Amino acid sequence: MIAFAALRTLLIAAMASGLSFGATRAADDFDLSPQQPGRLHAARNEAAIAAIPGEFKFVTPGKFTIAVSPGGPPLATYATDAKTVVGADPDYAYAIADSLGLTLEIVPVAWIDWPLGLASGKYDAVISNVGVTEQRKEKFDFSTYRQGLHGFFVKSDSPIASIKQPKDAAGLRIIVGAGTNQERILVKWSDQDVAAGLKPIELQYYDDEAASLLALRSGRADVIVQPHAQLVFIAARDKNIKRVGTLSAGWPDRSDVAITTRKGSGLAEALTVATNGLIKDGSYAKILDHWHLSEEALPASETNPPGLPKY
């Protein structure tokens, strides 16, 4: 058991310090240290505190306990000490806890485990890039805090300057994940291009990220489409790809990422008020800018907005 724990720690440390060779090379753009000296501290928001229902009981009195899945920078990852969770989502969670006059408690979880853990009361909320969907709204409440975006990225020397609409992608060779939401959208884009007399989009699929990036760099593909935040970090790490556009996860509508709470717990409205306070005083923009995610900013937080439909 001790040997297994030691091996696990070494593996986590390797991922935190590398992500293939990344953290060191991205150090100028992203701080993945456990100390996080640049983390913003927010002021108490009395309106948000007053919006917490009197009957609501936090998992631990005086603490805001949240689940985060450390899936990778810049959203959430293990720091260089292989145990501290850092990133945009943790920083936002700290600001929300400050607004509520509480101490933050982060519980790292596997992505697949958060719904059961939240429903069973292991934590007060989930702040881990959870998108609002109509199916999830049947079991959970949401307070939005970021746009759900995918990114169009190309080689740094690519002549492609901008992709904003289907016609901009006509005839391009685009790398996309099989079975993903972005694949579904790009199939629709390609159909629109063909209907307009343009060339179809050629979708390409690879087994992993390394193979995808190699295909892009070698010229076998023109564009890669992945969740925007992931590609922001890769661009900073590798210095050889650039963003030429973003794609809403809910195209043609906006799709939002939200703090997730238990259905009917009453906490969602207080979290929405807290987020809007952070937006108003500029703290929110500073957090996103610190992690190079300003493109994902929302004009305002909403409680339980329309989500992605069931497919």
Side-chain angles (χ1 to χ4, degrees), residues 239-262:
K239 312 295 185 184
N240 57 15
I241 64 173
K242 64 181 180 180
R243 180 180 54 232
V244 293
T246 57
L247 173 68
S248 171
W251 181 89
D253 300 315
R254 196 180 75 197
S255 175
D256 294 342
V257 169
I259 310 176
T260 311
T261 50
R262 291 184 296 280

Side-chain angles (χ1 to χ4, degrees), residues 31 93 116 126 189 220 249 276 297 300 304:
D31 174 19
L116 181 59
V126 176
W189 276 34
R220 296 198 305 272
N276 281 323
N304 292 328

Side-chain angles (χ1 to χ4, degrees), residues 205-289:
Y205 306 90
Y206 294 90
D207 292 334
D208 54 40
E209 183 178 275
S212 297
L213 293 172
L214 178 60
L216 185 67
R217 290 195 301 267
S218 66
R220 296 198 305 272
D222 302 306
V223 185
I224 185 171
V225 176
Q226 284 184 199
H228 174 255
Q230 294 176 5
L231 289 170
V232 165
F233 182 81
I234 291 169
R237 181 191 72 193
D238 296 352
K239 312 295 185 184
N240 57 15
I241 64 173
K242 64 181 180 180
R243 180 180 54 232
V244 293
T246 57
L247 173 68
S248 171
W251 181 89
D253 300 315
R254 196 180 75 197
S255 175
D256 294 342
V257 169
I259 310 176
T260 311
T261 50
R262 291 184 296 280
K263 189 74 176 178
S265 69
L267 188 59
E269 189 56 36
L271 299 175
T272 299
V273 172
T275 299
N276 281 323
L278 295 172
I279 292 173
K280 184 176 180 180
D281 71 14
S283 301
Y284 171 82
K286 291 178 182 177
I287 293 170
L288 291 184
D289 182 66

Side-chain angles (χ1 to χ4, degrees), residues 83-135:
K83 62 181 180 181
T84 304
V85 181
V86 299
D89 280 348
D91 275 10
Y92 170 71
Y94 274 104
I96 290 292
D98 289 342
S99 299
L100 299 179
L102 301 170
T103 300
L104 184 68
E105 181 77 19
I106 293 179
V107 180
V109 300
W111 172 263
I112 197 172
D113 293 337
W114 73 256
L116 181 59
L118 181 58
S120 63
K122 289 185 178 180
Y123 19 86
D124 303 307
V126 176
I127 300 181
S128 194
N129 200 41
V130 179
V132 182
T133 70
E134 290 303 310
Q135 185 170 3

Side-chain angles (χ1 to χ4, degrees), residues 151-165 167-169 172 222-223 241-246:
F152 291 105
F153 279 67
V154 300
K155 288 198 304 180
S156 295
D157 60 356
S158 171
I160 300 169
S162 177
I163 300 177
K164 295 182 178 179
Q165 53 190 323
K167 68 178 183 179
D168 299 331
L172 296 181
D222 302 306
V223 185
I241 64 173
K242 64 181 180 180
R243 180 180 54 232
V244 293
T246 57

